[in-house]
Amino acid sequence: MPLDGNNQFFDPAIPAMRPMVLKYIEDVTELGKTISDLISLSLRLEKSYIRRHYLQPEPAALFRCFKYSINAASGLPNANRQDHGTGKHTG
């Protein structure tokens, strides 16, 4: 699946981030599959019904890490900036 935007793991100062995030995505994806099985059963369908009909071949699991500028005085993200949102962000 092609992804648009910058590298997901853009900060070389945090090398442990990549395996931790990939493990988190894997775990949350499995949790979602389990929940879909429970929903199927609650609807009195075959356990794998939702998984087979809606999650095949695999559900899309995307990750986007945002980097916001830091206020030098407080050390916190700049709250006064008006350009935060869900659009493309760059570091």
Side-chain angles (χ1 to χ4, degrees), residues 29-64:
T29 300
E30 286 303 312
L31 175 62
K33 290 176 182 179
T34 300
I35 291 170
S36 73
D37 291 344
L38 293 172
I39 292 171
S40 292
L41 292 172
S42 74
L43 296 171
R44 297 180 184 206
L45 300 169
E46 179 187 340
K47 177 182 176 183
S48 64
Y49 182 87
I50 290 176
R51 196 184 287 222
R52 283 187 294 113
H53 290 277
Y54 299 102
L55 301 178
Q56 292 296 326
E58 281 293 315
L62 306 175
F63 168 73
R64 203 60 204 269

Side-chain angles (χ1 to χ4, degrees), residues 2-3 23 43 47 59 73 82 86 89:
L3 299 175
K23 176 69 171 135
L43 296 171
K47 177 182 176 183
Q82 299 299 312
T86 58
H89 290 68

